[in-house]
Amino acid sequence: MSDQTQIRTRFAPSPTGYLHIGGARTAVFSWLYAKRYGGKFILRVEDTDNERSTEDSIQQILDAMAWLGLDYDEGPFRQTDRWEIYHSFIKKLLDSGHAYRCVCTREDLDEKRELMQKSGAKPMYDGSCRGKDIPADVGKPYVVRIAGPKDGKTEVEDLLRGTVVFDNSELDDMIIMRTDGSPTYNFCVVVDDADMKISHVIRGDDHLANTPRQLVIYKALGLKPPKFAHVSMILGSDGKRLSKRHGALSVLEYRDMGILPDAFLNYLTRLGWSHGDQEVFTLDELKSKFDLDAVSKSASRFDLEKMTWTNAEHLRKMDNKALVKISGNAFEGIPGERLETLLEMLKPRARTLVDLAASARIYLEDGLEYDEKSVTRFLTSDTASLLSELADRLEIANFGRKEDIETVFNEYLEEKGLKLKILAQPVRVALTGGTVSPGLFDIMAFMGKDKCLARIREGARRGRG
RNA sequence: GUCCCCAUCGUCUAGUGGCCCAGGACACCGCCCUUUCACGGCGGCGACGCGGGUUCGACUCCCGCUGGGGACGCCA
């Protein structure tokens, strides 16, 4: 495969906080696109902002990607390690006249911006230092600006949106190097994407307006731009921009909520991408089916409810070994066959790993938490005698076979002339503390005679008051 | 304010001029299954933002409006 046809995508987060849903989705799209076409996925940390970048953020982003299984073929590169490269290109632009030094102060700039804003124009730099040929030894702090085109148009060819045209008069001469000598974002992105031979830049919609500016730099540098795909943003459930208040949680928090990585990937990909009517995808399906042509152009809202549903779907289909592995120590020390039984009982009822572990505790641990309402309703003085009689009967049952338990149950019911319906809920509350559980005989067989009888008798005790 | 993007059920979406008085999924509501809850099955509720064109025919094409989002930093 030649250089031109090799697909190379990248994820380029700035380490100024944790990885949230929005960032995660562009990462996922980029990663899947590379997987889909047998390309490479590159991770690049955009840490040129000294003030806000933190090592802790980098680690969090790395952790989140590792949890999701977003493996990268190259990197993580760090822009702070690439200073010489940027400076060599800045020098090149300065020498060729595509960039110039500017000594305007921040105060000047702010003032100008405000004035333009008031007059109804787009606030931009007016280019007052352009053409002055200010030398490096002016004796004043200076920035370097790109000398962009003053007229004409710049066209962005976007894979999702077609040709988007910007009037060059809308673009000002942006700063590519700060007073302190550090290069700026728009410049580094161009240099890096070109240097790393990125073929497809898949990024958020919020960067669409940056793209013509970057195109100006590509042109000045004589470099060939990659293909662009600007994916729409994810909004909060109220349609507002995602903020900490609604939905912009760290990806890692979904892990802590008991969401499966594959389910997270499934939901996030499906949010803004579709493949006919299919809702549930395995990881392999995503890797083989994802493509940019079916990516939606409109913004979509994050819906925790549907993510949880997607998670439940994955949970049910997951094989037990994998489930135990991902659950950490929740099922530690339980023999294989017993574990299988437990998971088969609990899986169809669980929505998250947290649910699953919590429901398992009822049957594994000695102590029991009682739901007050259920107790009042079902553990009454009427049911108390039934429960203790039943417990006595069950002494002879073989708890190794749930059919045996059922037989004893039925014999007792017949004698009393009662329906199972009457006895089922009181027994369930006695055994589990609540009114919701898997089949009665299933949980009894699982818990064993001692625990069952103890709990039923305790239930009777509570019934008597 | 200026520029840019977007617009189908509450939400995610299918739909690329006739197959659509619009299909699927989540949520919600019934019913069935059933010892409870879930799973599963069946059914219901529910949308093409508005106004102009183009066309024999518009959810689909064009224009305007409205609404939503984004960008305008020595942040990324």
Side-chain angles (χ1 to χ4, degrees):
Chain A
M1 203 177 255
S2 73
D3 231 36
Q4 279 92 338
T5 54
Q6 165 89 109
I7 301 291
R8 292 171 62 85
T9 63
R10 47 66 159 188
F11 177 51
S14 60
T16 53
Y18 50 68
L19 181 62
H20 57 85
I21 295 277
R25 196 181 59 162
T26 56
V28 170
F29 279 8
S30 300
W31 180 75
L32 283 178
Y33 192 70
K35 295 291 174 196
R36 170 75 168 78
Y37 289 105
K40 301 275 188 234
F41 177 64
I42 290 118
L43 178 62
R44 182 174 75 224
V45 178
E46 313 228 311
D47 56 349
T48 54
D49 184 357
N50 227 329
E51 306 272 298
R52 301 197 303 153
S53 299
T54 68
E55 288 304 312
D56 188 56
S57 296
I58 295 179
Q59 197 50 50
Q60 280 214 46
I61 292 166
L62 257 27
D63 288 350
M65 290 182 70
W67 175 61
L68 287 172
L70 303 184
D71 54 332
Y72 32 90
D73 301 292
E74 294 171 26
F77 297 108
R78 283 207 191 200
Q79 292 187 322
T80 43
D81 291 337
R82 298 168 57 79
W83 249 220
E84 309 89 80
I85 301 173
Y86 306 130
H87 282 118
S88 73
F89 278 100
I90 289 169
K91 185 173 184 306
K92 230 167 129 179
L93 289 177
L94 240 19
D95 291 347
S96 66
H98 287 294
Y100 60 92
R101 295 182 186 84
C102 165
V103 291
C104 297
T105 64
R106 289 169 205 255
E107 292 72 36
D108 290 343
L109 264 21
D110 289 344
E111 209 172 296
K112 282 175 185 170
R113 259 194 293 271
E114 203 173 311
L115 233 60
M116 297 185 81
Q117 180 94 260
K118 266 186 192 154
S119 72
K122 191 168 184 162
M124 329 187 280
Y125 176 62
D126 62 1
S128 52
C129 289
R130 183 166 175 165
K132 284 190 185 161
D133 207 18
I134 295 163
D137 56 1
V138 265
K140 282 195 247 181
Y142 65 85
V143 299
V144 175
R145 289 180 182 273
I146 192 86
K150 290 287 90 185
D151 44 35
K153 293 174 190 308
T154 296
E155 297 187 345
V156 177
E157 297 297 339
D158 188 276
L159 260 19
L160 261 40
R161 292 158 209 283
T163 307
V164 183
V165 184
F166 293 86
D167 208 302
N168 286 339
S169 62
E170 291 289 326
L171 278 28
D172 62 2
D173 290 345
M174 74 190 133
I175 294 173
I176 59 175
M177 191 188 89
R178 302 183 186 95
T179 317
D180 67 1
S182 61
T184 60
Y185 166 76
N186 275 115
F187 181 72
C188 295
V189 168
V190 169
V191 169
D192 285 342
D193 283 338
D195 188 52
M196 295 173 189
K197 299 189 165 53
I198 302 302
S199 66
H200 292 71
V201 169
I202 300 168
R203 60 176 27 156
D205 212 356
D206 49 339
H207 286 285
L208 184 55
N210 274 327
T211 307
R213 298 164 170 279
Q214 292 180 10
L215 251 17
V216 166
I217 300 177
Y218 276 105
K219 201 168 177 192
L221 251 21
L223 296 168
K224 183 171 169 278
K227 294 194 188 313
F228 294 99
H230 289 95
V231 180
S232 61
M233 321 217 64
I234 298 177
L235 308 175
S237 53
D238 58 355
K240 296 288 176 211
R241 189 188 189 139
L242 222 42
S243 75
K244 311 237 153 133
R245 267 194 65 96
H246 43 264
L249 300 177
S250 162
V251 164
L252 262 10
E253 289 186 68
Y254 293 97
R255 174 196 63 191
D256 299 342
M257 283 166 58
I259 301 294
L260 262 6
D262 286 10
F264 187 87
L265 252 25
N266 184 163
Y267 174 74
L268 224 51
T269 305
R270 186 62 186 65
L271 189 63
W273 171 79
S274 60
H275 187 74
D277 283 341
Q278 191 172 349
E279 297 283 349
V280 181
F281 296 83
T282 64
L283 191 53
D284 284 339
E285 284 177 315
L286 288 178
K287 285 184 192 169
S288 64
K289 290 176 173 172
F290 179 80
D291 211 338
L292 290 172
D293 57 9
V295 171
S296 161
K297 287 189 284 189
S298 50
S300 39
R301 302 182 188 204
F302 179 77
D303 183 11
L304 186 61
E305 202 75 53
K306 188 151 185 181
M307 174 187 255
T308 310
W309 173 82
T310 308
N311 196 58
E313 289 289 312
H314 279 260
L315 202 61
R316 278 200 290 275
K317 287 181 181 156
M318 206 166 174
D319 83 72
N320 293 340
K321 278 207 174 58
L323 202 47
V324 168
K325 196 175 169 199
I326 204 163
S327 294
N329 56 9
F331 302 106
E332 227 165 41
I334 305 167
E337 206 176 312
R338 204 168 145 68
L339 191 53
E340 289 288 318
T341 313
L342 180 67
L343 291 175
E344 288 313 316
M345 286 196 312
L346 266 25
K347 260 202 309 197
R349 269 158 268 261
R351 315 257 298 164
T352 67
L353 289 174
V354 172
D355 282 354
L356 188 71
S359 62
R361 253 175 258 128
I362 295 171
Y363 310 103
L364 295 170
E365 292 177 359
D366 286 332
L368 190 58
E369 269 181 54
Y370 291 87
D371 171 60
E372 212 173 299
K373 263 186 169 167
S374 308
V375 170
T376 324
R377 177 146 178 228
F378 292 107
L379 299 184
T380 63
S381 50
D382 290 345
T383 54
S385 55
L386 294 176
L387 287 177
S388 51
E389 277 181 33
L390 179 69
D392 294 344
R393 294 303 185 90
L394 285 167
E395 291 283 5
I396 58 144
N398 171 15
F399 272 65
R401 294 191 59 221
K402 65 176 183 180
E403 293 78 9
D404 271 29
I405 305 171
E406 194 167 358
T407 306
V408 174
F409 237 87
N410 285 336
E411 282 169 5
Y412 176 65
L413 287 170
E414 208 172 311
E415 239 179 80
K416 286 274 164 187
L418 290 171
K419 292 271 180 215
L420 174 59
K421 216 171 185 143
I422 305 296
L423 201 51
Q425 285 303 69
V427 173
R428 193 184 312 278
V429 175
L431 289 173
T432 68
T435 53
V436 171
S437 86
L440 224 40
F441 306 119
D442 291 316
I443 61 173
M444 289 177 79
F446 180 82
M447 287 193 287
K449 189 184 285 183
D450 291 351
K451 189 175 266 182
C452 286
L453 295 193
R455 284 189 180 179
I456 291 173
R457 288 184 170 130
E458 171 59 21
R461 222 178 337 271
R462 284 179 187 250
R464 283 185 215 104

